[in-house]
Amino acid sequence: MRRGRRRNWAVIGTLVLAFGRCGLAHTIYVDDDGPADFGTIQAAIDDANDGDTVIIRPGTYTGPGNRDIEFRGKAIRVTGADPNDWDVVSRTVIDCEGTENEPHRGFLFTTSEGPASVLSGVKITGGYAPSIPLEIYKKIVGGGICCNRSSPSILRCIISGNLAQHGGGGLFTYDGHPTIRQCEFRSNISFGTGGGGIDVYGGRIVLAGCSITGNWGYQGGGINAWVCTLLLDNCLIRHNESQSWG
């Protein structure tokens, strides 16, 4: 009898350890031209679970799986190899290769992502915003990043050289609560009613320690904000241009 009980306790202990390991956070590596867990960012995100970290090694990421990227509602961190080193950030490039005939953006947050969905340490460029349904309308917004009723954390990223026909050449957010810290928005363009660098409609956005320079928009060269709460903390906004106002 005693031996049987010992065996039962041993089996239970093994099961507890096994289930404990399943609950641990994992680190998943992405490299477009070297050994890694995945060759595309989207494939790594699809494999990740809440609490996991996806690390993107330096390189230029293009094509399917490396643009129009979605977190799919997951509370994960997607980051370059060293967000604290601007040289590494500038070499971790998501090149959307978007055009008017074939529009693509960098990241799309549309699944109620919250602050635990973190994007950091990457450069997003070459975005040309595809259209997205907003209420009853479709708008071509958010060339670099588009947030629709989502509240991600975006930290130490460079959003440069992106375009949107309606608003938010660099970033567009609608009815969410994103937090943007220590990011650079530069040389983004919007031809429509929204800001060249950042366009905000509804909700609440925090911009802390950000640089918004050299952007162009029909209304609001750097930032355009409508019916929202906009909190600015220690931001640099200069050399932006607008054809209409702001």
Side-chain angles (χ1 to χ4, degrees):
M1 292 295 291
R2 288 179 181 174
R3 290 181 181 175
R5 287 175 184 169
R6 286 174 181 169
R7 289 195 190 98
N8 289 340
W9 282 114
V11 170
I12 292 170
T14 302
L15 290 172
V16 168
L17 287 172
F19 282 112
R21 290 191 189 101
C22 291
L24 294 176
H26 293 86
T27 300
I28 303 167
Y29 290 91
V30 181
D31 197 317
D32 63 331
D33 60 359
D37 298 307
F38 292 96
T40 68
I41 300 165
Q42 189 65 69
I45 291 174
D46 291 346
D47 186 68
N49 297 309
D50 287 353
D52 288 351
T53 297
V54 174
I55 295 180
I56 307 167
R57 290 177 173 144
T60 299
Y61 293 81
T62 60
N66 292 317
R67 59 195 182 194
D68 305 312
I69 302 162
E70 299 186 51
F71 271 49
R72 309 200 193 284
K74 297 180 180 181
I76 59 175
R77 178 180 289 270
V78 177
T79 178
D82 189 354
N84 295 314
D85 186 332
W86 283 110
D87 179 64
V88 175
V89 175
S90 67
R91 292 188 292 109
T92 309
V93 181
I94 296 166
D95 187 348
C96 308
E97 299 180 310
T99 65
E100 185 175 4
N101 292 327
E102 190 177 341
H104 298 285
R105 63 169 59 86
F107 284 84
L108 179 64
F109 295 93
T110 60
T111 322
S112 302
E113 285 86 3
S117 297
V118 179
L119 173 65
S120 67
V122 298
K123 178 180 179 180
I124 301 168
T125 191
Y128 192 112
S131 65
I132 181 173
L134 298 172
E135 294 182 330
I136 62 174
Y137 303 102
K138 277 193 171 184
K139 293 288 187 182
I140 302 173
V141 292
I145 301 172
C146 183
C147 303
N148 183 11
R149 290 187 168 134
S150 295
S151 308
S153 301
I154 301 171
L155 316 173
R156 295 184 67 82
C157 288
I158 298 171
I159 297 97
S160 174
N162 303 284
L163 184 147
Q165 288 287 357
H166 288 143
L171 179 143
F172 175 84
T173 175
Y174 171 73
D175 201 22
H177 300 81
T179 297
I180 319 295
R181 295 187 183 276
Q182 296 182 300
C183 289
E184 294 185 5
F185 293 85
R186 59 191 191 220
S187 303
N188 301 288
I189 297 173
S190 170
F191 291 122
T193 56
I198 298 170
D199 193 40
V200 185
Y201 190 93
R204 175 179 181 272
I205 184 172
V206 175
L207 293 166
C210 293
S211 172
I212 302 157
T213 62
N215 303 283
W216 189 94
Y218 184 78
Q219 294 177 359
I223 304 173
N224 185 56
W226 295 89
V227 199
C228 67
T229 300
L230 170 63
L231 300 177
L232 291 169
D233 178 15
N234 195 32
C235 291
L236 174 66
I237 305 170
R238 69 177 182 183
H239 298 163
N240 303 286
E241 296 185 24
S242 170
Q243 182 174 330
S244 180
W245 63 73

